[in-house]
Amino acid sequence: MLAAALVLVAVPTTSSAGIDTIGSSLSGSATSVIQPLQDTALTQLTAAGGGRPAVPNSGQVLWVKVKGCAARRGRHVRPETAIFTQDLRGEPDGALRVISSSQRFNLPICGVHGASRRSVRRFKPRDQCVAAGDLVGLVVGGQTPGYPQGTPYFIAKPNPGLSVGTFSGNGATLNGSRYTFAPMADTELLARAKIGTGPDSPSRC
């Protein structure tokens, strides 16, 4: 499975001592299902109060927290759990281009080792630099054996007025890919990113 993109949402950006935190407050439970047939990029198109939840200052993604889990069918049929983070940069025509993708991470499986739709996992991309105005996104997988309709990912919740963008395509989510997102209305992606700038960027982004 290749990296596509899920992005961040909804609370005011905070900045202190070279650290910015953007995205969802991670409150509530992941009750909205995202069930892609193909590798799928997700991005928060609108944040609370309007506008996009963009990176405020150039720096490095220190971690991304994601709330929720991948649901399984039966005890012995493992779902897809792959998830990636991406740096997305806007282009003049409104599309977003993939600048970089993280290493593979894995969401927990609902009901395994206590994981639930309220579980929060922290993922730490290696050397993922971002520029002011970029979006931080995620990618989830599609079909896998035993899941012809795709794995149900519970990583979002209803939130009136917000909108998550989706883009699907196997082999269409590599670095350099361009996304034109379709909106998923009234939805919040339960993802939050911490970005270090200046001396708070270990890779000196």
Side-chain angles (χ1 to χ4, degrees):
M1 119 120 219
L2 298 172
L6 155 61
V7 129
L8 311 174
V9 63
V11 296
T13 297
T14 59
S15 180
S16 174
I19 299 294
D20 295 304
T21 304
I22 62 172
S24 171
S25 65
L26 302 180
S27 64
S29 181
T31 55
S32 295
V33 64
I34 295 170
Q35 188 168 351
L37 290 174
Q38 298 176 298
D39 297 344
T40 294
L42 303 162
T43 182
Q44 199 73 40
L45 296 178
T46 53
R52 285 188 173 184
V55 171
N57 299 292
S58 298
Q60 178 179 353
V61 179
L62 302 179
W63 51 248
V64 175
K65 291 181 179 179
V66 179
K67 190 170 200 174
C69 54
R72 62 180 180 174
R73 294 178 58 234
R75 296 184 59 185
H76 304 295
V77 185
R78 182 179 175 84
E80 179 63 85
T81 60
I83 189 167
F84 302 78
T85 69
Q86 289 189 320
D87 174 34
L88 306 176
R89 189 163 299 162
E91 301 206 312
D93 63 357
L96 290 166
R97 183 174 295 277
V98 182
I99 303 302
S100 69
S101 304
S102 72
Q103 70 271 37
R104 173 179 171 143
F105 302 113
N106 291 283
L107 277 176
I109 299 173
C110 303
V112 175
H113 303 305
S116 74
R117 299 181 192 182
R118 300 185 68 90
S119 298
V120 176
R121 289 292 188 275
R122 183 175 70 172
F123 306 120
K124 300 177 69 174
R126 287 191 298 266
D127 305 324
Q128 189 159 52
C129 297
V130 293
D134 291 355
L135 297 177
V136 178
L138 300 172
V139 175
V140 295
Q143 293 172 316
T144 194
Y147 295 82
Q149 301 304 313
T151 291
Y153 281 82
F154 285 92
I155 51 175
K157 72 174 186 180
N159 195 330
L162 299 189
S163 178
V164 171
T166 67
F167 174 90
S168 296
N170 289 333
T173 59
L174 297 168
N175 292 349
S177 296
R178 297 174 78 254
Y179 301 146
T180 300
F181 288 102
M184 180 185 298
D186 299 325
T187 304
E188 176 181 342
L189 193 60
L190 293 174
R192 184 172 180 84
K194 183 177 182 179
I195 298 165
T197 63
D200 290 298
S201 167
S203 299
R204 296 295 183 263
C205 291

